[in-house]
Amino acid sequence: SSESRINSFIKSKLMSAEDVAQKFPEQITIGASGFTPAGYPKVIPSAFAQRIKNSKNPENFSINLYTGASTGDELDGVLARTGRMKLRIPYQSHPDLRKLINEGKLNFIDMHLSHVGRYIREGIFPPIDVAIIEACDVTPDGRIYLTNSSGMSGTYLSLAKDIYIELNQAHPLEMKGLHDIYLPELHTGRPINIDYVDDRIGTPYVRVNPERIKGIVLTDKFDSSKGFKQPDDASFKIANNILDFILHEVEYGRIPKKLLPFQSGVGNVANAVLACIARDKRFNSIEMYTEVIQDSIFDLLDSDKLRFASTTALTFSAQGQIRFFKEINELKSKFILRPMEISNNPEVIRRMGLITMNTALEADIYGNVNSTHVLGSSMMNGIGGSGDFTRNAYISIFMAPSIAKGGKISAFVPMVSHVDHNEHSVQVMVSEQGLADLRAKTPKQRAKLIIDKCVHPMYKDQLNDYFQHAQRVSFAQHTPHDLKQALSWHVRLQETGSMHPDHQQSQQPTS
Ligand code: 0RQ
């Protein structure tokens, strides 16, 4: 119960969010808990935003915000709206932040999540003044038990000058034990001894000197995850194409019968793929080594197909959260939450041999993938962990519905307007139209496959025309391009609102 949680140490540190906010320096670097709206602080940031708003000189304030990944409105939203955020790393998905970034008013550094810890520990980024960490319990000897995410919390707790805890009593104390906290050493590069998804190598808590904890604020709020769109027809087709491919690889002995662990990215499409595995009779037991678990995990649990899931965040809708808490005692044996320096660690990913599935905004005929930038310049969310997983995967899969915005955009283009994952790391490309296995193919073979298998019928001729034309006019024949036309689809989208030359037709895609 909440009564038993408030031990004498917690009692001695209790403060209001407003009092905490008063203690913050005006120029502040915050290291906050939170990863893909899971386990982020929910009341102290609002109080700090209010302090700035009430101030006679709001322009004196400046905020650098470091997190694990994206967070909710109660952190990213309220601080963005102060207008005083100056630096944000390493991933975000909040509309107000995105707007500031794309207006050029906020410095956002989009980076591989596995690099964040080192950059901060080595002083490449400004040092952390305060850590604001959501926890479900704190002991007098300084053990901090985290909530729905591990993310960067361990690192921020070890580095911050001052620590403030949001003790979230909505979380049952049974959450204790889910986490496995272990941080890699900085320079020695000693092995991280994880061979299997369920290996534990650390502690279920983060340990700090209790004197560094300057205040504890009580809360009882759920994470504000948006929830997901119901998987649509295109997502199910993408999923089925992937599942057929995996079984094909099993048949050829390239994937063992008991399969390999899966990583699955953020968003609607990724969520749908897992829902499909749950429904597919050909799959009966799967493991996950990933960074985000979404509501689709319940489909796997209901079909009794989840053997084990290792993640750094549990991103649930309110309904999913209620269910997780209700069943926590049974579920605990199937989950580990790891720091993102471990969940995304290239060494561990490479050793375990993962099947990784991430979503592209667009891909080009040679297999380069853009996951982050609309029209080459407008930041969507960030690369997040997709690069950590893709580059080190056993099999790296990229998925995308073949068209977006009702057909005004083709996900498959002559040349991507920005590259996050290059042709060397992308092994399989899949849309609802089909799947292209790009391994051991030349650039021209890849182009042919992508055009044949993945492109929407309304763009197929157009893309094939480009490829043929490129081979005629290209400066060289290894990776043929017409540099004058390579980005013409994007230019057309910008100028006419559609990549399709027949603008009328593109308003009504045929399928
Ligand atoms: O916009 O909702 O306004 O229609 O982009 O697209 O199809 O709903 O896909 O939710 O799976 O997100 C790449 C953004 C996909 C995500 C991305 C528009 C489309 C829609 C979203 P609307 P969907 P998803 C681990 C892995 C990078 C980080 C990553 C992402 C909206 O998966 O951020 O993988 N990935 N991390 O209409 C313009 C195009 C478009 C386009 C789609 N070519 N141009 N708009 N859209 N294609 C997790 C972490 O790292 C934390």
Side-chain angles (χ1 to χ4, degrees):
S1 76
S2 56
E3 269 310 296
S4 63
R5 192 174 320 202
I6 315 294
N7 58 43
S8 55
F9 175 76
I10 294 175
K11 214 175 241 165
S12 74
K13 299 282 178 180
L14 283 182
M15 288 175 77
S16 69
E18 290 68 29
D19 289 343
V20 171
Q22 286 303 329
K23 295 206 172 295
F24 285 2
E26 292 184 347
Q27 320 271 308
I28 189 170
T29 298
I30 298 172
S33 61
F35 194 102
T36 54
Y40 58 93
K42 300 176 179 72
V43 294
I44 296 172
S46 304
F48 187 49
Q50 197 57 46
R51 177 180 156 205
I52 296 174
K53 212 169 154 192
N54 294 346
S55 154
K56 285 197 190 78
N57 305 99
E59 65 284 354
N60 290 351
F61 288 84
S62 85
I63 306 166
N64 300 334
L65 177 62
Y66 311 162
T67 60
S70 53
T71 74
D73 189 66
E74 305 93 322
L75 175 57
D76 268 327
V78 295
L79 293 186
R81 292 189 291 272
T82 65
R84 305 309 306 159
M85 205 193 285
K86 296 293 164 201
L87 173 66
R88 179 76 177 91
I89 60 165
Y91 183 88
Q92 55 74 44
S93 64
H94 193 284
D96 295 342
L97 270 186
R98 195 180 283 147
K99 188 161 179 282
L100 289 172
I101 292 165
N102 289 320
E103 286 171 352
K105 295 179 181 155
L106 164 61
N107 292 329
F108 172 59
I109 316 284
D110 176 24
M111 54 194 295
H112 292 304
L113 298 189
S114 70
H115 290 182
V116 177
R118 253 198 55 202
Y119 275 36
I120 296 173
R121 281 191 276 169
E122 291 179 351
I124 295 169
F125 283 117
I128 298 174
D129 300 305
V130 303
I132 315 176
I133 306 292
E134 188 180 79
C136 68
D137 200 13
V138 181
T139 63
D141 59 353
R143 280 173 285 167
I144 296 169
Y145 290 86
L146 303 171
T147 61
N148 275 339
S149 66
S150 184
M152 288 304 294
S153 297
T155 306
Y156 297 162
L157 280 167
S158 79
L159 295 176
K161 271 198 241 110
D162 293 331
I163 295 170
Y164 293 94
I165 301 290
E166 289 199 4
L167 191 77
N168 189 332
Q169 298 186 88
H171 286 259
L173 285 172
E174 286 78 12
M175 287 291 286
K176 292 163 73 168
L178 266 179
H179 290 261
D180 185 56
I181 307 296
Y182 174 94
L183 295 173
E185 288 165 35
L186 203 49
H187 299 295
T188 58
R190 285 220 310 250
I192 297 165
N193 283 317
I194 296 174
D195 299 324
Y196 299 100
V197 290
D198 53 355
D199 282 346
R200 283 185 175 270
I201 57 170
T203 54
Y205 49 78
V206 184
R207 188 77 176 250
V208 301
N209 177 345
E211 282 168 23
R212 293 176 54 230
I213 303 177
K214 301 296 186 221
I216 299 180
V217 178
L218 299 180
T219 73
D220 57 0
K221 289 174 193 233
F222 277 13
D223 294 327
S224 63
S225 171
K226 289 191 303 254
F228 296 97
K229 292 185 209 157
Q230 274 304 313
D232 58 7
D233 192 43
S235 305
F236 278 118
K237 286 184 177 153
I238 290 174
N240 277 324
N241 291 336
I242 294 176
L243 300 191
D244 287 346
F245 168 76
I246 288 169
L247 290 172
H248 172 269
E249 290 297 293
V250 171
E251 205 172 297
Y252 278 80
R254 289 191 284 261
I255 294 180
K257 276 209 175 63
K258 68 176 193 51
L259 303 177
L260 293 166
F262 288 93
Q263 176 262 342
S264 152
V266 277
N268 296 309
V269 181
N271 200 51
V273 171
L274 290 187
C276 274
I277 294 182
R279 290 176 202 189
D280 195 308
K281 290 202 174 56
R282 299 170 298 175
F283 289 80
N284 37 46
S285 174
I286 74 153
E287 295 180 337
M288 314 261 320
Y289 191 86
T290 193
E291 58 182 1
V292 193
I293 295 281
Q294 303 172 323
D295 274 22
S296 53
I297 202 74
F298 294 114
D299 295 328
L300 289 174
L301 287 165
D302 287 338
S303 56
D304 205 19
K305 288 186 184 177
L306 181 73
R307 199 196 73 72
F308 199 87
S310 165
T311 183
T312 195
L314 297 168
T315 301
F316 292 135
S317 66
Q319 258 181 326
Q321 183 72 83
I322 289 166
R323 176 166 172 193
F324 189 81
F325 286 159
K326 213 164 117 206
E327 298 173 15
I328 180 104
N329 286 324
E330 300 94 83
L331 294 183
K332 225 162 140 176
S333 61
K334 285 185 180 271
F335 291 89
I336 287 182
L337 269 74
R338 303 184 191 276
M340 88 189 194
E341 282 163 87
I342 302 298
S343 64
N344 287 41
N345 195 289
E347 170 198 340
V348 181
I349 294 168
R350 189 56 76 97
R351 181 182 305 127
M352 273 195 296
L354 305 187
I355 302 170
T356 67
M357 305 180 292
N358 292 287
T359 311
L361 282 176
E362 62 177 7
D364 67 28
I365 52 175
Y366 298 119
N368 299 291
V369 164
N370 172 7
S371 301
T372 56
H373 285 68
V374 173
L375 289 175
S377 55
S378 176
M379 173 55 65
M380 183 69 103
N381 302 324
I383 191 169
S386 57
D388 296 325
F389 285 99
T390 295
R391 181 72 194 100
N392 299 293
Y394 183 75
I395 296 183
S396 65
I397 303 174
F398 269 93
M399 46 203 182
S402 65
I403 49 174
K405 308 288 178 204
K408 290 178 189 149
I409 296 174
S410 170
F412 299 96
V413 292
M415 184 185 260
V416 283
S417 57
H418 173 93
V419 186
D420 292 294
H421 311 288
N422 64 52
E423 52 164 350
H424 310 288
S425 302
V426 177
Q427 299 175 342
V428 175
M429 183 64 65
V430 55
S431 78
E432 78 291 352
Q433 303 292 326
L435 179 142
D437 179 357
L438 307 175
R439 295 172 301 174
K441 301 287 189 303
T442 66
K444 279 189 282 194
Q445 290 167 335
R446 292 200 293 265
K448 196 173 170 326
L449 265 177
I450 288 173
I451 293 168
D452 283 352
K453 304 279 188 187
C454 301
V455 180
H456 194 277
M458 69 185 286
Y459 282 102
K460 205 169 216 162
D461 288 347
Q462 194 180 325
L463 200 52
N464 203 31
D465 287 350
Y466 173 81
F467 180 47
Q468 300 306 328
H469 165 81
Q471 289 175 86
R472 281 194 300 273
V473 304
S474 184
F475 168 71
Q477 287 301 315
H478 182 64
T479 306
H481 265 306
D482 176 357
L483 293 179
K484 282 194 184 141
Q485 283 196 21
L487 293 171
S488 61
W489 293 30
H490 299 84
V491 175
R492 189 179 302 125
L493 173 62
Q494 215 170 327
E495 287 174 353
T496 72
S498 173
M499 284 184 177
H500 207 284
D502 182 352
H503 191 57
Q504 283 312 107
Q505 184 190 329
S506 69
Q507 309 292 321
Q508 288 137 11
T510 44
S511 60

